Amino acid sequence: MSNTKFTKGEWAVSIQGFDDFKSIAVIVPNGGFEVTNIPDAEANAHLIAAAPDMYHYLDELKNKMIGNKAIEYKNQIEQLLKKARGE
């Protein structure tokens, strides 16, 4: 993960508004951005906020795996990590 360049720090979700209109934002340490007016915006915002942690733990898991199926799982995890890096 040393070559990755993601925004550092804890990410969070902020939801404000009423039932018919919600302002949903993913908050990152140096600001935030809105993800409103799209289907499933709240669920997407939570997924985006969890992404850095998921990336970190998948990378750690890949490096610690041993056993018969480890190579297959490591390859699948590496493909996911590459997708997250835009490769």
Side-chain angles (χ1 to χ4, degrees):
M1 193 164 132
S2 60
N3 295 337
T4 59
K5 298 185 182 197
F6 299 125
T7 303
K8 304 272 190 256
E10 191 70 23
W11 291 30
V13 175
S14 172
I15 303 169
Q16 299 174 350
F18 302 99
D19 290 337
D20 293 338
F21 178 80
K22 290 182 181 177
S23 175
I24 301 171
V26 176
I27 308 300
V28 296
N30 61 353
F33 59 93
E34 289 191 25
V35 287
T36 57
N37 300 324
I38 58 173
D40 304 316
E42 185 175 345
N44 291 337
H46 287 289
L47 180 60
I48 292 166
D53 289 334
M54 289 191 296
Y55 185 96
H56 172 75
Y57 289 113
L58 276 172
D59 193 39
E60 277 190 9
L61 177 64
K62 179 192 72 163
N63 294 322
K64 293 178 181 178
M65 293 181 76
I66 58 172
N68 295 339
K69 302 251 330 162
I71 292 173
E72 178 184 343
Y73 292 139
K74 284 182 179 185
N75 289 337
Q76 291 174 351
I77 290 171
E78 184 55 36
Q79 292 305 311
L80 287 171
L81 297 176
K82 283 182 179 180
K83 187 175 182 180
R85 293 190 299 262
E87 297 174 9

